[in-house]
Amino acid sequence: MNWGKGLAIAMALFIAFIVVLGIFMMRSTDSLIDKDYYEQGENHTQIMEMEKWGKKVITPFENNVLEVQFQEDGGVVKTIELKHIADSRNDRIINNQNGSRKFDLSGMAKGHYQAEIKGETEGHAFLKKIQLSIQ
């Protein structure tokens, strides 16, 4: 085989490789765009307001016990969403039916969590996001 034929085969293989990569790229469903992008945009101002009120909430975490403290009396914790950083099968949602302000998390899987605490303080809805490490 001469060098011309080898070069033509190499170029044909390279073009086929690029076409296959293009097909995989077009069929990929992994995107950075959320399906509810516009709804999130509409709710952005409301979420920012909730986070502003969340700054007034204090959340100490010791010995796998999360405590939620309010500056004013009458604060209420409604839900706590715990998202496990490494394994979404360990995600949990705590619906606070009894008005508790202390939550024992020692029964959960060990690891790092992103916690979103939602409730009311001083008559306003709040959202507090914190990082936890359950031992």
Side-chain angles (χ1 to χ4, degrees), residues 60-133:
F61 182 69
E62 273 185 44
N63 300 325
N64 293 335
V65 175
L66 174 65
E67 185 176 353
V68 181
Q69 300 171 350
F70 299 97
Q71 293 178 355
E72 301 279 331
D73 287 339
V76 177
V77 177
K78 293 184 178 178
T79 62
I80 300 175
E81 283 187 49
L82 296 157
K83 297 177 183 175
H84 195 276
I85 302 294
D87 189 358
S88 64
R89 293 176 295 183
N90 295 323
D91 292 356
R92 298 288 179 266
I93 297 176
I94 299 171
N95 291 313
N96 190 15
Q97 303 292 336
N98 57 2
S100 178
R101 292 186 180 179
K102 285 189 177 185
F103 303 92
D104 185 11
L105 305 177
S106 58
M108 297 186 59
K110 295 179 181 181
H112 298 289
Y113 287 84
Q114 169 79 26
E116 292 185 2
I117 305 164
K118 296 178 184 175
E120 286 187 16
T121 182
E122 300 177 29
H124 298 278
F126 77 86
L127 170 64
K128 177 91 173 189
K129 295 181 181 181
I130 60 172
Q131 297 281 330
L132 303 174
S133 183

Side-chain angles (χ1 to χ4, degrees), residues 17-31:
F17 175 71
I18 296 297
V19 169
V20 168
L21 286 180
I23 291 170
F24 281 137
M25 181 185 71
M26 297 300 279
R27 290 188 178 187
S28 174
T29 59
D30 185 27
S31 70

